[in-house]
Amino acid sequence: MTPMEKAGWTPLPHSDEDLERSKSVPDTPQTRAETYRLAWNDPEFMTRRELRAVRLQLELLKPEMILAERGIHSTVILFGGARLPEPGGEAWAAKNETQKKNLEENSKYYEEARKFARLCSQQSATSYYREYVVVTGGGPGVMEAGNRGADDVGAPSIGLNIVLPHEQAPNAYVTPELCFNFHYFAIRKMHFVMRAKAVAVFPGGFGTMDEFFETLTLIQTGRMERVPVILFGKSFWKRAIDLDFLAEQGTISPGDQDIIDFVDTADEAWGIISRFYKLGE
């Protein structure tokens, strides 16, 4: 099948054809001018502030089209701290001895995230990696553990990276052709939840809290279907958030706390998902 037949026949030239033709024009002052560039092949034009709406659309479309072409129907999200080291690894983010001690102690959640991702990926294999595909933020810490767990069993996994002021490369375990990069946090968050069948949240900081509470809000307000939301680390989360207090104060409804399950192990978490979706029955 020719590229023309793949794209759908038309008597008009496709944009990729005209792009190649535009590269072979004579080199003149006119053809070197920025105004002569095809609009969508002009980085300076595409990054103008007036084009924000177009860039938002492109960031939504590109991953959506690629995931759809890959046949990925559902995902399991792993949120969690970038600063958590693997067991025995260096607590590189620690600013003092107390942080070092706590980060090293919480490294157990790196191993649980890795194991949990393996369990999700083994289930994913039964659908030829169309369902329950692991998705992370693509960075270090818990995110690395999630992608690594999928890689342990030969499964693909998704990384939704974002451009940050400090340079950060995607972790080495993200499937390269499913490794995306975003400018807009809002569009990245949409891609996290658009296919989510479960949300696993590990100890983390502001970014983890942001992603966790946004997901809770979507479920609480009925803007998102009820899916398992699982917090790893009972002792960590009991101190980090107090939902019973919010219910007592009337700022959430009684029973809103029940949106969440607390676990300490990957097996507990996978059991919750299996029962929710009646897997294996």
Side-chain angles (χ1 to χ4, degrees):
M1 183 180 286
T2 67
M4 178 73 81
E5 289 169 329
K6 242 183 224 185
W9 184 85
T10 170
L12 303 174
H14 285 279
S15 55
D16 57 343
E17 296 172 308
D18 270 356
L19 178 59
E20 288 306 309
R21 288 170 184 160
S22 71
K23 294 175 182 176
S24 61
V25 297
D27 182 23
T28 70
Q30 290 77 23
T31 62
R32 287 196 297 271
E34 290 183 8
T35 51
Y36 184 77
R37 296 174 189 164
L38 290 165
W40 40 267
N41 192 44
D42 182 347
E44 285 74 21
F45 176 69
M46 287 298 296
T47 52
R48 287 180 60 156
R49 292 191 178 185
E50 297 92 334
L51 271 288
R52 179 177 290 144
V54 175
R55 293 193 301 274
L56 284 161
Q57 185 179 21
L58 290 173
E59 284 209 343
L60 181 64
L61 276 172
K62 181 180 177 180
E64 177 65 17
M65 291 170 67
I66 291 170
L67 293 174
E69 287 166 2
R70 182 86 176 215
I72 294 174
H73 300 149
S74 71
T75 58
V76 177
I77 307 171
L78 274 75
F79 290 138
R83 305 181 185 201
L84 264 63
E86 65 177 302
E90 179 190 0
W92 55 269
K95 305 299 186 213
N96 53 53
E97 286 303 312
T98 299
Q99 288 196 345
K100 181 176 184 295
K101 173 180 171 294
N102 289 327
L103 285 169
E104 288 174 352
E105 183 177 330
N106 284 326
S107 68
K108 62 190 175 188
Y109 296 115
Y110 180 106
E111 197 55 44
E112 290 302 325
R114 185 175 175 182
K115 182 177 180 181
F116 177 68
R118 286 200 296 266
L119 294 172
C120 296
S121 298
Q122 286 163 351
Q123 176 65 35
S124 184
T126 66
S127 64
Y128 301 99
Y129 305 114
R130 293 184 174 92
E131 306 283 353
Y132 300 97
V133 178
V134 167
V135 58
T136 80
V142 167
M143 296 173 279
E144 176 186 283
N147 298 116
R148 188 175 180 181
D151 188 68
D152 286 341
V153 292
S157 67
I158 304 165
L160 305 181
N161 295 267
I162 189 141
V163 178
L164 297 172
H166 50 279
E167 185 178 346
Q168 177 182 295
N171 72 66
Y173 302 100
V174 179
T175 301
E177 59 269 27
L178 297 176
C179 187
F180 301 98
N181 200 18
F182 292 85
H183 172 68
Y184 296 105
F185 264 102
I187 301 299
R188 178 176 179 253
K189 288 176 180 178
M190 285 186 68
H191 279 293
F192 269 124
V193 299
M194 281 168 65
R195 289 174 167 82
K197 272 195 169 176
V199 183
V201 189
F202 293 79
F206 290 158
T208 302
M209 296 284 191
D210 174 48
E211 292 156 344
F212 165 52
F213 277 105
E214 186 149 27
T215 305
L216 280 188
T217 302
L218 289 170
I219 294 172
Q220 182 202 44
T221 57
R223 296 293 298 170
M224 177 179 175
E225 291 290 330
R226 178 77 179 266
V227 302
V229 178
I230 304 166
L231 296 186
F232 275 76
K234 295 175 186 176
S235 60
F236 177 90
W237 290 109
K238 291 296 184 185
R239 288 198 60 186
I241 58 172
D242 190 342
L243 297 182
D244 290 334
F245 174 75
L246 295 182
E248 288 170 7
Q249 296 300 306
T251 54
I252 63 173
S253 297
D256 279 348
Q257 310 98 304
D258 299 335
I259 295 172
I260 303 162
D261 289 292
F262 294 86
V263 303
D264 283 319
T265 69
D267 288 326
E268 288 177 89
W270 184 248
I272 289 167
I273 295 170
S274 296
R275 289 190 295 275
F276 188 91
Y277 291 107
K278 298 180 171 60
L279 299 176
E281 292 186 7

